[in-house]
Amino acid sequence: MGFKMTDVLYYTIHMNEFKSIAQWYTWHDPVHERDETKEDPSLQICFKFLVQTSRSFSAVIQELHPELLVPVALFYLILRGLDTIEDDMTIPLDKKEALLRNFHNILEQDGWNFDGNGPNEKDRELLVQFPNVITEFKKIKPAYRAIIKDITQNMGNGMADYANNAEHNVNGVNTIEDYNMYCHYVAGLVGEGLTKLFVESKLANPVLLERQHLQESMGLFLQKTNIIRDVREDFEDKRRFWPKEIWSKYVDKFEDLFKPENIDIAMNCSSDMVLNAITHADECMFYLAGLKEQSVFNFAAIPQAMAIATLELVFRNPKVFRRNVKITKGQACQIMIESTQNHQILCEVFRKFAKKIHRKNTPKDPNFLKISIACGKIEQFIESLYPTQDPKALAELRATQTGTEKPPIDKVKAQQAKQDTIYIFVAVFGSLLFLTGIMIWIAYIFGARFDVAIAELMKGKLGRGSPVEAKEAIRRYDHGEL
């Protein structure tokens, strides 16, 4: 965990976020831990690439149940390899199409690798050393291999179709239907594959296989959130994923969204995109209720909680059109703490950010009413699962008011408040000590004579002396080198 000087200044002001970071890295206890000592060299290389290609996903993957650890890690690397070929514009179209459509068969070819990526493609080394992935892929259960191959084939064909679509390559996505289909190929299929792996391992409710719309929403919610957040970065890379059916309601040309004079119109357009994404939120919560095992739940819940938090961040945020915006490390740690407890607390995370979106909503936005309804739908869904007017909770409240009983939650809150005070004290004291050290070091570099100060203090001189004493001190400590 590395911190920049700007991070230190930021967390000095935002102490609650600093506390969340300290709590996560101090108290987080993985449900399962990967045992590297039992891994073959090829598998260790696979996990090395997993960390290199995605720091965020690699952490939750490595805490998965042992039954799913290797299959899910390989599934991720295989799709990352497929994506690396699809993203590389230096590969000729005919060669790219053949690779994408045949990639599922490549998984069975011992020793296959690919060094035809451009030198600037960040994950090219994964394909160069792909034989390690193939070796480990052949070791997992046949049922897992069949699931991964099937999803790889479907995704490869979908990517090849888009690569051959000249209209898409020049003008980007046109209709909302095209937008949903694109998100299906790059993310919805991932949700389908993971669901099949979860159910095959008996760590999820088999009913999820019958609810394909829930699997689809899990992938689309993440992908659509990323597309909204990354709009400036994609625009600079000459890629356009916002559907014309939406942005053409606000501007004539897509690039007009990035002009400063159009910022109000651009934010209305972005809120339309947020509206399109947030409609998947309730189905994501429904899906997560079907995951039985805690590590599987954590693996699926963390990205979804991050997505709703990111949607709140980008909603009516003009910075989206100037640069890539992200939630802070402190906010991310707090979200991970809350979303890895149980389904009810995760739903409260969704409720919290839905309320924040609702508060930021403005009647000036043409989507005001629809966004208010969408946020209300999220709260209504959560209320149907976990009513706030719980009879047991009301009984405890009445007992507290009459003084007959003190609910255990009061003791918990008191203990939490005590811990918070300690964290804040340690953080403030540590920050002051750190800043004092830096100031002393800078003073020393610029020639401060701390030896003189210490010597005078040892003599009991705490105040400022007379001019005569000052001259005497200079004569006594000045060695005359200059």
Side-chain angles (χ1 to χ4, degrees), residues 6 179 363:
T6 52
Y179 180 51

Side-chain angles (χ1 to χ4, degrees), residues 405-422:
E405 182 184 354
K406 186 174 182 180
I409 193 169
D410 286 352
K411 297 178 182 179
V412 174
K413 287 182 177 179
Q415 181 66 25
Q416 183 65 42
K418 184 178 179 181
Q419 290 179 355
D420 289 351
T421 303
I422 294 172

Side-chain angles (χ1 to χ4, degrees), residues 360-463:
K360 289 168 70 175
N361 200 14
T362 171
K364 296 179 181 178
D365 191 329
N367 303 291
F368 172 75
L369 185 58
K370 291 181 180 179
I371 290 172
S372 296
I373 293 172
C375 292
K377 186 180 177 183
I378 292 174
E379 292 198 56
Q380 186 179 29
F381 175 80
I382 297 171
E383 191 68 21
S384 69
L385 293 179
Y386 307 106
T388 52
Q389 298 300 315
D390 179 57
K392 186 176 179 181
L394 289 173
E396 288 181 347
L397 179 61
R398 284 194 294 270
T400 305
Q401 291 172 341
T402 57
T404 57
E405 182 184 354
K406 186 174 182 180
I409 193 169
D410 286 352
K411 297 178 182 179
V412 174
K413 287 182 177 179
Q415 181 66 25
Q416 183 65 42
K418 184 178 179 181
Q419 290 179 355
D420 289 351
T421 303
I422 294 172
Y423 275 119
I424 291 172
F425 175 79
V426 171
V428 171
F429 181 77
S431 299
L432 290 174
L433 193 64
F434 177 74
L435 292 173
T436 301
I438 290 178
M439 292 170 67
I440 291 173
W441 178 75
I442 292 173
Y444 175 75
I445 291 296
F446 281 91
R449 294 294 301 273
F450 292 110
D451 56 332
V452 175
I454 293 170
E456 293 298 305
L457 287 172
M458 293 293 289
K459 293 178 181 179
K461 295 182 179 180
L462 301 178

